[in-house]
Amino acid sequence: MARIQQMPAVTAKTAGRPTLSVAIVLAAAFLVWADSSIVNVAVPVLRSDLHATFGQAQLVAASYQIAYAALLVVGGRLGDRFGRRRLFLIGLAGFAVASLGCGLAPTAQTLIALRAGQGVAAALMFPQTLSVIQVVVPAARRPLALAVFGITSSLATIAGPLICGVLLRADLFGLTWRPAFLVNLPVCALGLLMALGFLPESRSEDTRTIDIPAAVLVASALTATIVGLVEGNEAGWPWWSIGLLASAAPLFVLFHLRCRAVHRRGGTALVPPPLWRDRTFVVGLLVFVLSYVCVPAFFLYLSVTLQDGFGQSALGSALIATPYALGAMAGYQLSVRLRRALGGRGCVSAGTAAWLVGSAGLLLAVGQQSLTGPVLLSALVVSGLGLGCMLAPLLGVILGGVPPAHAGAASGILSTGQQIGGVLGIALVGMAFTQPLSAGTESAHYRAALFAAVVVITIAVAVNAVLARFLPDDRP
């Protein structure tokens, strides 16, 4: 999800080719979405090729999301102030350079740093997507453009692991996992050429300053939390990992105090404090974050189990995950009718209940040692269907009650929460996953590890089912 906001007055060359402009920014958004999951199926090969620890492999996935989450709101504000086309071009060029570096990375540490660079570039580029759509697309055609935006998100979720699986299977020039990053280069080059020629510039007339100290504080807090969890679990909880985790809480407190101080002075806080007094926003944000705790972590550890534990190919493990994404796409379609019948809260509750049933099916499949059979595939479809049914109306419920003055900040927080949830899921679910592997790395140990991970995910989905009852009933 991107930063959706009440657009301020703009100056833009909006005449010309709105369809082409939308295609350009959606192609770049596709890269951002796909690259958040593209490494999931490559983790086993990465570990072997770079002699990486399991914790380092987790950080290859997490470092991208940490940087992206920490700077997403800042990227949107920079685009408003200095020009969305300009920030889009800078972000896309940076994404190309970082992708080239990832594809050539000689060590796991280098790859982790360059993945963070990809996340920084994505945070500059991606927030401009919906802003450009709002500026260049006439109001009557905007719903169609936003629908295509949602479909692109779902397709990228499917395509990322599949593209990586195909490239690993092909093993181009003996490069194994590296083409999964290098494939971004021609897309970025074409996108830069098209954006330079056809993407109009726009910026906000409201040029409020960006709170850099707050951005540094929240980035530091997120990094301390995730690195402390991932590396601490890998290293047996040494003193420095405990110190990192202990430092995260005061950093988050300082961030909140900074936002309050800026708000009191009449400035633009990264997170406006009044949002935390809105029960609908707080409960909805918790549900949203917990949802993304579950999804990326499940597919990462499913891929590791299938490849390392059961000898599946990268492409085979990616294909097994496809029913989940197809179910989610169907859920998005179904949610439109369900919301009319049940209201936003009812639709979220129904979707969460279906997701919980799907999670129970996953537990059954893993417990029955059926990691590729119809029980697993059916559970994946039901889980995806539930997720799709609950996410679309959830966003409407959360943002529907937010004052227009805080709409941009609220949607930015949700975008950031999505990434934070993904990173926390990799860390927290990973702690459960790695415990059974301490006893050995036979197939039975990997099955036990995946079962433990799905237990944690099922608990999170159950908590969401309870939290959904505290959302307001918005039926007419």
Side-chain angles (χ1 to χ4, degrees):
M1 179 197 147
R3 180 174 161 272
I4 306 169
Q5 64 176 5
Q6 298 287 102
M7 293 297 296
V10 295
T11 56
K13 303 172 187 175
T14 55
R17 303 175 175 86
T19 301
L20 184 56
S21 295
V22 170
I24 292 167
V25 295
L26 285 185
F30 184 95
L31 285 181
V32 172
W33 283 316
D35 268 64
S36 67
S37 61
I38 201 167
V39 298
N40 285 358
V41 297
V43 163
V45 182
L46 270 169
R47 289 179 62 197
S48 174
D49 190 41
L50 297 179
H51 308 290
T53 67
F54 193 77
Q56 288 172 329
Q58 289 176 300
L59 287 176
V60 169
S63 58
Y64 176 90
Q65 293 173 303
I66 293 171
Y68 182 41
L71 297 175
L72 192 60
V73 176
V74 174
R77 295 272 171 84
L78 287 171
D80 288 346
R81 187 172 187 186
F82 297 108
R84 300 179 183 107
R85 176 179 179 270
R86 178 181 297 175
L87 264 292
F88 180 83
L89 289 169
I90 292 171
L92 188 55
F95 199 86
V97 172
S99 296
L100 175 61
C102 288
L104 301 177
T107 66
Q109 293 87 343
T110 305
L111 182 58
I112 290 167
L114 289 165
R115 281 284 285 170
Q118 272 192 313
V120 172
L124 297 179
M125 172 176 59
F126 185 74
Q128 320 315 323
T129 302
L130 278 180
S131 297
V132 167
I133 290 174
Q134 293 281 65
V135 169
V136 305
V137 178
R141 296 172 58 188
R142 209 168 289 151
L144 176 60
L146 293 174
V148 175
F149 176 88
I151 293 169
T152 303
S153 171
S154 297
L155 288 175
T157 303
I158 300 171
L162 286 177
I163 290 170
C164 188
V166 169
L167 291 172
L168 285 169
R169 179 74 173 269
D171 192 16
L172 299 173
F173 309 108
L175 294 174
T176 62
W177 54 272
R178 297 179 186 276
F181 296 108
L182 298 176
V183 73
N184 292 338
L185 298 180
V187 181
C188 289
L190 180 61
L192 285 168
L193 288 174
M194 297 296 288
L196 283 168
F198 301 103
L199 192 65
E201 181 61 285
S202 67
R203 58 173 53 84
S204 172
E205 292 179 353
D206 182 359
T207 56
R208 291 174 288 184
T209 59
I210 299 161
D211 190 2
I212 298 299
V216 171
L217 284 169
V218 73
S220 301
L222 287 171
T223 302
T225 301
I226 303 307
V227 174
L229 285 172
V230 171
E231 288 295 294
N233 182 54
E234 177 77 18
W237 304 109
W239 65 268
W240 55 262
S241 66
I242 303 299
L244 280 175
L245 292 172
S247 70
L251 285 170
F252 278 120
V253 170
L254 288 173
F255 169 72
H256 179 64
L257 293 175
R258 170 72 186 184
C259 289
R260 287 181 59 183
V262 170
H263 184 73
R264 278 198 304 268
R265 295 198 302 265
T268 305
L270 277 184
V271 178
L275 286 175
W276 300 123
R277 297 194 289 271
D278 184 335
R279 191 188 79 173
T280 299
F281 178 79
V282 172
V283 173
L285 178 62
L286 285 173
V287 174
F288 193 69
V289 170
L290 276 175
S291 298
Y292 282 95
V293 164
C294 301
V295 178
F298 171 71
F299 285 111
L300 173 60
Y301 299 121
L302 175 63
S303 177
V304 170
T305 298
L306 291 172
Q307 291 183 64
D308 282 355
F310 291 87
Q312 277 276 356
S313 67
L315 179 57
S317 64
L319 287 170
I320 288 172
T322 302
Y324 196 103
L326 295 176
M329 292 178 69
Y332 279 119
Q333 299 291 328
L334 181 61
S335 68
V336 177
R337 296 180 181 178
L338 277 181
R339 180 161 190 178
R340 285 198 294 263
L342 304 176
R345 184 180 71 181
C347 191
V348 171
S349 296
T352 308
W355 192 4
L356 189 57
V357 170
S359 293
L362 292 174
L363 285 173
L364 180 63
V366 177
Q368 288 183 340
Q369 306 179 13
S370 175
L371 295 183
T372 57
V375 176
L376 177 70
L377 298 181
S378 300
L380 288 172
V381 171
V382 174
S383 296
L385 185 71
L387 177 68
C389 279
M390 60 90 70
L391 271 187
L394 175 64
L395 295 176
V397 170
I398 297 171
L399 294 175
V402 172
H406 299 318
S411 57
I413 294 165
L414 288 172
S415 298
T416 303
Q418 175 182 343
Q419 301 306 314
I420 292 172
V423 175
L424 285 175
I426 289 171
L428 296 174
V429 178
M431 290 168 63
F433 181 83
T434 55
Q435 288 307 308
L437 296 179
S438 62
T441 55
E442 301 298 323
S443 295
H445 297 113
Y446 273 100
R447 186 182 297 110
L450 184 61
F451 188 86
V454 177
V455 167
V456 175
I457 289 168
T458 304
I459 291 171
V461 177
V463 171
N464 264 355
V466 174
L467 287 174
R469 304 306 303 167
F470 291 92
L471 293 171
D473 187 350
D474 61 348
R475 284 178 295 184

